[in-house]
Amino acid sequence: MAVPDRYSADAAEQIFKEGGNAIDAAVAIAFALAVTYPDAGNIGGGGFMTLYVDGKPYFLDYRESAPLAATRNMYLDDKGEVIKGMSLVGYRAVGVPGTVDGMWQAQRRFGKLKWKQVLAPAIHYARDGFVVSAKLQKRRDDAAKDFAGKTNFDTYFGDLKEGVNFRQPDLAAVLERISDQGAKGFYTGKTADLIAASMRGHGLITKADLAQYKAVWREPVQAQWNGYRVITAPPPSSGGVGLVQLLKMKADLASDFKGVPLNSAQYVHLIAEIEKRVFADRAQYLGDPDFYKVPVAQLIDDAYLAKRAAEVNPGAPSDTKSVLAGLGTSMPEKAETTHYSVVDKWGNAVSNTYTLNGAFGSGVVVDRAGIVLNDEMDDFSSKPGTANMFGVVGSDANAIEPNKRPLSSMAPTILTRDGKVVLVIGTPGGSRIFTSIFQVINNIYDYDMPLPDAVAAMRFHHQLLPENTIFWEPYKPIAGELAQQIEAKGYKLEGQSFNGDIQVIRIDGGKPDAAADPRGRGVTRVVQ
Ligand code: GLY
């Protein structure tokens, strides 16, 4: 397994030792992280799970949905302008949480253990506490500044300090109700009463919203690439489509990449050219498939992508407006989601990415329940052409409608070869998610790098807007001669505070190898 913290690794180890499979372990990890990784692990958010079980691919969408009372212009003022921060902080930013029903459905369908067994580690951490790491305290301190005076965040997380044994008794009681009653212990009864009571007079979510929420099994996006079958996230994520587009266009441009050193200025330019086209499609065509017909097959069609790849200018950046007309944007810097990868001895695999959106979500904590609530409503396009937290724009495809799911970039991915799992991968990072996964896959298979090096290597990002801007990350900044060479090609370089956190398992010749991103606090573990 490759997971975001050591407590979730201990939880999964316990589950494997009790005879559980990868799905049991994945569900136990999700609940454990809701306690020990409260900046992104959650029961108040949502996510996506890509599974490979008994030789077959599956995909579970447990993304949050817009409340029934949500409206298209709910974040606009009288003049039709976006009210800054309203979709990011506080009660009105919250979508109806999907994680508990997602975990319930996954475990009911494919798990081997009793439901109570997979909840037990999380209940233990909530009731008895866990020791807070320096990285978690830093995330808390940063988030607390954004929430100060706006939410009740400090009532619950004011005492979260490095080295302290942090207990969450209210959350433990909620987890016990979920353990006793299944998903009903969250979506109905006392927990639902507490969520609705917290919202009353502040936000939109009611007991009716909670009672009707259902996770959805969807067909994963699948594509052949380089001898592998890529199994990844369909809409309402843009991540899987984007990843396949990146992989295939790069393959189409093999002659342009020939002899180009990895992460050189020319390499960065060619990848940015591909990314420009991927993000143009994302802005135009991607949204919730239950509300908008997303042309997935056309977007990943070989002939279409060969045509798009042929538009790439190997010599200079293509004019942004010729790829898509739009306004330049800046990107506020925060991005919090988390990913883990699990395989078991039977050859099953789970790739799971779930999120509260920003670190600690909306900053709202359900009174007397300790549930951190998401700010996933920001992933909708509040106003066509205006950027969200990740600096990405959208169109009608991603406009707000009651019960609709906001467009995501999460891309929990599995690669198989000859019907066997060979790679399980994912990361947080908003719009950086699929460009990061793409770079690591590329490092492994096209540049033959050992797994830890492929994960640790420099990553960069371009997303059409802001115009000709390459984002670099603090872990491996782009500086010196490389920076000058990229700028000489006509790009601006911009730092971001966010790093990504890849958790990946590779199985080569039947032998598993795993890597947790050195940028995060993740661990890998093989349970004998
Ligand atoms: N909230 C980040 C994403 O879903 O892509």
Side-chain angles (χ1 to χ4, degrees), residues 63 337 355 357 376 379 390 408-410 430 433:
R63 182 78 162 159
T337 294
T355 186
N357 199 27
E376 219 67 60
D379 272 344
F390 300 108
S408 172
S409 298
M410 294 187 287
I433 288 175

Side-chain angles (χ1 to χ4, degrees), residues 92-112:
R92 286 177 77 86
V94 184
V96 182
T99 297
V100 176
D101 196 54
M103 295 305 134
W104 173 244
Q105 290 206 37
Q107 210 271 338
R108 297 264 297 181
R109 184 163 181 186
F110 293 122
K112 281 166 58 122

Side-chain angles (χ1 to χ4, degrees), residues 173-487:
V174 171
L175 291 167
E176 273 163 8
R177 282 197 289 279
I178 296 169
S179 173
D180 291 341
Q181 300 164 35
K184 283 195 179 135
F186 183 87
Y187 292 98
T188 62
K190 183 162 181 186
T191 311
D193 287 343
L194 291 171
I195 297 172
S198 268
M199 282 281 151
R200 209 162 292 133
H202 305 288
L204 300 183
I205 296 175
T206 63
K207 283 177 74 177
D209 282 303
L210 294 163
Q212 61 142 36
Y213 183 86
K214 281 280 165 279
V216 183
W217 292 94
R218 299 190 191 274
E219 280 302 308
V221 164
Q222 296 192 61
Q224 283 303 123
W225 167 80
N226 202 13
Y228 299 96
R229 185 133 196 94
V230 180
I231 304 163
T232 185
S237 186
S238 60
V241 168
L243 175 63
V244 170
Q245 289 191 323
L246 291 168
L247 290 168
K248 285 192 180 179
M249 280 200 264
K250 173 155 189 290
D252 286 333
L253 293 171
S255 60
D256 292 286
F257 279 96
K258 201 159 191 280
V260 175
L262 180 68
N263 293 332
S264 61
Q266 179 62 5
Y267 181 89
V268 170
H269 164 63
L270 288 172
I271 298 294
E273 278 286 284
I274 298 172
E275 289 173 338
K276 234 176 205 170
R277 285 151 180 93
V278 170
F279 277 91
D281 282 352
R282 182 192 192 279
Q284 190 61 36
Y285 301 119
L286 271 297
D288 181 345
D290 293 342
F291 286 74
Y292 186 89
K293 194 164 166 15
V294 184
V296 173
Q298 284 121 291
L299 289 169
I300 61 169
D301 176 68
D302 287 343
Y304 169 69
L305 292 173
K307 186 172 133 288
R308 290 289 268 176
E311 291 163 10
V312 162
N313 181 347
S318 304
D319 176 26
T320 299
K321 288 182 189 63
S322 76
V323 182
L324 174 83
L327 299 168
T329 65
S330 65
M331 195 205 72
E333 293 170 347
K334 67 174 193 167
E336 212 41 72
T337 294
T338 187
H339 176 86
Y340 52 89
S341 298
V342 190
V343 296
D344 66 25
K345 63 182 176 184
W346 296 285
N348 304 313
V350 175
S351 187
N352 190 83
T353 313
Y354 74 153
T355 186
L356 291 164
N357 199 27
F360 296 94
S362 60
V364 174
V365 186
V366 178
D367 292 319
R368 294 170 48 222
I371 303 167
V372 181
L373 292 173
N374 67 82
D375 60 337
E376 219 67 60
M377 292 296 285
D378 188 64
D379 272 344
F380 279 116
S381 176
S382 293
K383 181 180 173 186
T386 299
N388 75 353
M389 172 173 91
F390 300 108
V392 284
V393 293
S395 64
D396 273 357
N398 191 31
I400 304 172
E401 292 179 60
N403 222 9
K404 187 173 175 181
R405 297 173 188 216
L407 183 61
S408 172
S409 298
M410 294 187 287
T413 297
I414 295 173
L415 266 59
T416 63
R417 191 168 193 132
D418 303 325
K420 299 257 183 304
V421 172
V422 295
L423 199 79
V424 188
I425 186 167
T427 183
S431 55
R432 280 85 177 136
I433 288 175
F434 55 94
T435 61
S436 297
I437 295 172
F438 161 71
Q439 289 175 78
V440 175
I441 290 180
N442 196 32
N443 295 346
I444 297 169
Y445 293 109
D446 282 5
Y447 288 85
D448 228 0
M449 290 170 82
L451 203 58
D453 298 353
V455 172
M458 171 191 119
R459 295 200 286 265
F460 59 91
H461 176 81
H462 172 69
Q463 56 178 32
L464 186 69
L465 298 170
E467 199 166 348
N468 295 335
T469 300
I470 305 289
F471 290 98
W472 51 264
E473 44 153 12
Y475 180 72
K476 291 251 166 97
I478 296 180
E481 206 180 325
L482 177 60
Q484 285 163 15
Q485 288 166 351
I486 294 172
E487 281 165 350

Side-chain angles (χ1 to χ4, degrees), residues 500-514:
D501 190 13
I502 293 266
Q503 311 296 340
V504 56
I505 300 171
R506 184 179 190 188
I507 302 169
D508 201 5
K511 224 174 99 321
D513 187 12

